[in-house]
Amino acid sequence: MNSHAASLSPAATESALRTAGLDPARLPRHVGIIMDGNGRWATGRGWERVRGHRLGAEAVRTVTTIAAQLGIVRLTLYAFSSENWSRPQREIDVLMHLLRDFLRNEEATLHANHIRLEAIGQLDRLPTPVLKELNRVRSATADHTRMVLSLAISYGGRDELVDACRRIASRAKAGELDPTAIDASTVQDHLYAPAGGDLDLVIRTAGELRLSNFMPWQSVYAEYVASPALWPDFGEADFVTCLREYQRRERRFGGL
Ligand code: IPE
Ligand code: IPE
Ligand code: MG
């Protein structure tokens, strides 16, 4: 057994969880992170905002690796919102470059940790070189089953629901679907990642307390944890703190 396989064994996962003081039986299945505070991290040091984005990419690698090691099944990272297209073009260009570099550089980490890459959002709005790289890494990692890393890029929760409505309506119009039979599972089936399921935990960094259009359908019963850390500073200890906070919550789903 090579070292990667050993570090990914169920026993290794269990021991990583115990070391972190986490209960293996109460781990969130699907975690979403609103990665915020890159700009503030840089401007607070008198630097350009884009330096924060560069460092933010490192934090993505750290958190993704730890999430896989702890046995989280799905990690959705909010990387670029529909509304972020309204930022200055120079900042958008840097973010798109960083995204392409990230996809190129992190493919090895994804393979080593048996992580499948997926993406949600209006991906056709991405520059062609980014989309090509994204599709390449998505197919290169398609057989991995340890964890799914889903990048929300050019993503907006309202756009996702509007896109789902359009597809449902055209299928109804074509006679493929009975409008009176539309239910929550029909909507779920027409989301960008139908198999992704509900979020159990949403973490937002930089101390902000809002969703900013992040997965409203999937987060109706998510536990919400705000971390004061700016995203480039967010590391293993911060992630574990958020998971411990999640494990202290009592989830009721409207019942008693
Ligand atoms: C998060 O950091 C990254 C993206 C939204 C792309 P910000 O760029 O929003 O950083 P702040 O919130 O201005 O500090
Ligand atoms: C949310 O952060 C989007 C991402 C983290 C990608 P923003 O920084 O864009 O959100 P607002 O503008 O503070 O709500
Ligand atoms: Mg922000």
Side-chain angles (χ1 to χ4, degrees):
M1 194 187 273
N2 66 33
S3 61
H4 287 317
S7 69
L8 293 175
S9 71
T13 302
E14 174 104 15
S15 112
L17 284 165
R18 298 250 180 246
T19 309
L22 293 165
D23 175 359
R26 302 193 64 212
L27 203 65
R29 187 193 74 88
H30 185 184
V31 178
I33 306 184
I34 304 171
M35 309 183 289
D36 200 15
N38 291 352
R40 276 164 279 177
W41 184 91
T43 53
R45 289 166 171 76
W47 296 336
E48 279 195 85
R49 290 175 54 82
V50 295
R51 253 174 109 165
H53 294 314
R54 221 161 269 139
L55 259 288
E58 309 262 324
V60 170
R61 183 195 308 133
T62 309
V63 171
T64 301
T65 309
I66 291 157
Q69 283 165 1
L70 292 176
I72 284 162
V73 171
R74 190 177 191 94
L75 177 68
T76 300
L77 298 180
Y78 203 9
F80 193 86
S81 73
S82 307
E83 289 73 24
N84 290 150
W85 288 115
S86 70
R87 292 193 179 191
Q89 191 58 44
R90 192 184 112 73
E91 180 161 338
I92 294 174
D93 290 345
V94 171
L95 283 165
M96 291 299 144
H97 260 99
L98 285 171
L99 187 55
R100 199 181 58 171
D101 288 351
F102 172 82
L103 292 164
R104 275 196 191 140
N105 301 337
E106 298 314 314
E107 189 185 343
T109 312
L110 299 178
H111 288 308
N113 291 284
H114 300 204
I115 298 169
R116 180 165 86 240
L117 184 80
E118 291 185 2
I120 54 171
Q122 291 184 334
L123 305 179
D124 53 356
R125 296 180 73 182
L126 296 174
T128 312
V130 177
L131 189 55
K132 267 176 114 170
E133 197 61 24
L134 180 63
N135 286 336
R136 193 186 63 71
V137 181
R138 281 201 286 187
S139 32
T141 61
D143 291 334
H144 292 320
T145 54
R146 171 83 175 179
M147 185 180 86
V148 173
L149 170 64
S150 173
L151 297 180
I153 320 170
S154 183
Y155 175 88
R158 282 195 175 165
D159 288 340
E160 179 173 38
L161 292 173
V162 169
D163 286 344
C165 289
R166 285 207 183 118
R167 290 171 51 223
I168 292 168
S170 46
R171 289 191 57 206
K173 195 174 169 198
E176 294 169 25
L177 204 144
D178 171 8
T180 63
I182 293 171
D183 59 12
S185 72
T186 319
V187 177
Q188 179 70 36
D189 290 345
H190 291 81
L191 298 177
Y192 296 141
D198 284 355
L199 282 155
D200 297 299
L201 167 63
V202 173
I203 297 169
R204 182 163 186 151
T205 61
E208 303 288 357
L209 298 173
R210 57 177 170 271
L211 281 172
S212 302
N213 209 2
F214 181 63
M215 302 183 95
W217 176 273
Q218 298 87 340
S219 67
V220 287
Y221 263 107
E223 295 298 328
Y224 190 87
V225 175
S227 169
L230 302 175
W231 178 250
D233 289 328
F234 190 84
E236 175 167 2
D238 301 289
F239 189 48
V240 168
T241 299
C242 294
L243 293 171
R244 285 206 197 109
E245 169 65 26
Y246 169 85
Q247 295 201 328
R248 280 195 290 273
R249 305 274 176 91
E250 187 196 348
R251 302 186 75 192
R252 295 179 151 203
F253 300 100
L256 291 180

